[in-house]
Amino acid sequence: MRATFTKLTVLTSCIFAALHANAEEVTSPAHNSNQPPEISSPSFNFYGELGVGGHSALEGDDKGRYSDGTYIEAGLEMEMGNWFGLLYAEGWTVQVDGEGEPWATGHGWGGFEGGFNRAYVGYRTDGKTEIIVGRNDSSLDDIQWWGDATVEYGYTVPNTRDLNFAAKVQNLEGKLRYSISAAPEGKFDEDDAIVNFGKYDRYADKYTYAAMANGYVQYDLFENLTLLGGAEVTDGAGEMFLIGAEYKNVAARVWHHTDQGNDDSEGTETGFMASTWYEATEGVYLSAGYNYANNELESADNEVTSYINAGVWWEYGNGKFATAMDSKFYLGNDTSDSDNQVFVMQYFYW
């Protein structure tokens, strides 16, 4: 295993040791051996969402052509005493062109792809610390939209996301909150998938990745001001560092990845995002953001992504429905040669 991953392994061990050393001592209550222990009844919660809509370019070769973003996802949450678990599935449509090439803007639908995004079991201590094992999102993936109040087009931080098999320890209660996750090298592809929706389904491929660990700490410095710090180390695919701050309805985050978050990038990424939101009336939220990322590449010209986005979110029907719109406009210092876009989506929740 490479030195970068070994460094985080040692760091992770130190974190767990510190958490253990500072944990509050829990004293077990007296137990009457003549009475059988109480057994909690399991509880279940089924929930999910459906989004119908997508994107359209405002300029360029694909101007006015529709790119579908329709998706559906649902989860079954289970709890029994201190134990809990989750099965969560997701899927979305795939567009193809006349030659059968998938993910082609403005063409017909060729199929559907999806699978189980989360399938894990966990234990929650009396102190609210959770230990989770199974298919799960990484800790940094849990907060990928932290500091992003916009509807859709906020820049995505380049951290590892979905993990085929991982362990996670977190405590999301109180002024100081943390989460740390670790996973071995993932070698999961379509041949290993339990369900496959056809030749355009490549959902399972995203679970092939290097061994990694990431995590974050959040701290409420005082009322309405939260600070964030996070990091990720992968075996051979670089390291990432993230800091952020959020005050009321304004937030910003800065990050640096030594290898752009993937195995073949051969370059670094440094980024910044700031966003804000405003409740215009009950259930109607206006949002805007500025996004910047500088990719310094070893085998190609450096690339700067720079744009603003602004949108509106309208939630109604006691939270059962939402209609959203977002727009993206690239700035003069942008060199990514991307097109301005608009996004419209109708959401349904249960």
Side-chain angles (χ1 to χ4, degrees):
M1 186 156 298
R2 290 183 173 85
T4 54
F5 192 67
T6 304
K7 286 191 293 183
L8 189 71
T9 303
V10 174
L11 176 61
T12 304
S13 301
C14 293
I15 291 174
F16 284 132
L19 292 173
H20 177 75
N22 290 280
E24 292 183 0
E25 181 179 353
V26 178
T27 304
S28 300
H31 176 64
N32 185 346
S33 59
N34 295 324
Q35 299 293 329
E38 293 185 5
I39 300 177
S40 301
S41 299
S43 62
F44 301 91
N45 179 35
F46 178 70
Y47 62 96
E49 62 186 75
L50 167 68
V52 180
H55 312 256
S56 182
L58 299 175
E59 58 185 357
D61 295 338
D62 292 326
K63 181 179 179 179
R65 299 174 71 181
Y66 173 69
S67 176
D68 191 54
T70 297
Y71 72 93
I72 186 170
E73 53 188 55
L76 177 62
E77 199 174 52
M78 299 156 282
E79 287 198 26
M80 187 173 70
N82 293 62
W83 293 92
F84 61 92
L86 178 66
L87 287 173
Y88 199 88
E90 61 182 359
W92 47 83
T93 57
V94 177
Q95 292 180 260
V96 299
D97 61 16
E99 285 75 40
E101 294 298 325
W103 299 285
T105 301
H107 293 85
W109 287 270
F112 186 85
E113 67 170 352
F116 283 98
N117 181 33
R118 277 160 280 176
Y120 62 73
V121 295
Y123 182 82
R124 184 180 299 110
T125 70
D126 293 338
K128 305 302 182 182
T129 298
E130 297 179 346
I131 301 98
I132 302 170
V133 178
R135 174 170 285 195
N136 203 354
D137 297 337
S138 74
S139 294
L140 287 184
D141 192 22
D142 289 339
I143 58 166
Q144 64 173 309
W145 307 123
W146 192 95
D148 177 10
T150 63
V151 174
E152 173 69 12
Y153 285 135
Y155 194 91
T156 303
V157 177
N159 60 273
T160 303
R161 306 197 181 285
D162 301 325
L163 304 174
N164 181 47
F165 182 81
K168 179 187 290 186
V169 177
Q170 63 185 22
N171 192 314
L172 308 181
E173 302 285 337
K175 294 181 63 175
L176 177 65
R177 303 173 294 280
Y178 68 87
S179 178
I180 185 167
S181 56
E185 180 181 5
K187 295 181 179 179
F188 192 90
D189 57 28
E190 297 306 317
D191 293 334
D192 301 311
I194 298 175
V195 179
N196 195 303
F197 291 97
K199 66 177 182 177
Y200 300 119
D201 184 2
R202 296 293 179 266
Y203 180 90
D205 291 340
K206 69 179 181 176
Y207 290 103
T208 298
Y209 47 79
M212 57 72 62
N214 68 25
Y216 68 86
V217 174
Q218 291 187 67
Y219 181 68
D220 298 331
L221 189 61
F222 54 81
E223 186 177 5
N224 296 321
L225 177 60
T226 300
L227 304 180
L228 169 73
E232 174 177 295
V233 170
T234 54
D235 183 17
E239 304 169 349
M240 192 191 82
F241 306 95
L242 169 72
I243 58 173
E246 184 175 47
Y247 179 69
K248 294 186 177 180
N249 60 339
V250 179
R253 60 190 184 190
V254 180
W255 66 91
H256 176 73
H257 202 300
T258 62
D259 200 19
Q260 278 192 283
N262 58 68
D263 291 328
D264 56 5
S265 67
E266 298 182 352
T268 66
E269 176 176 301
T270 303
F272 169 80
M273 180 186 180
S275 70
T276 185
W277 60 268
Y278 172 72
E279 186 174 10
T281 187
E282 184 177 0
V284 178
Y285 301 89
L286 308 179
S287 63
Y290 170 67
N291 307 264
Y292 174 88
N294 181 23
N295 294 320
E296 297 185 355
L297 307 176
E298 296 179 5
S299 57
D301 293 337
N302 295 346
E303 182 177 280
V304 171
T305 301
S306 177
Y307 63 90
I308 58 173
N309 62 310
V312 58
W313 176 275
W314 177 30
E315 190 173 295
Y316 49 96
N318 293 321
K320 298 295 184 181
F321 307 96
T323 303
M325 186 278 291
D326 204 4
S327 57
K328 182 192 317 189
F329 297 94
Y330 288 88
L331 302 178
N333 60 337
D334 179 86
T335 64
S336 67
D337 196 28
S338 300
D339 298 327
N340 299 332
Q341 292 188 358
V342 65
F343 166 85
V344 178
M345 184 75 76
Q346 177 63 47
Y347 299 93
F348 306 88
Y349 300 96
W350 64 87

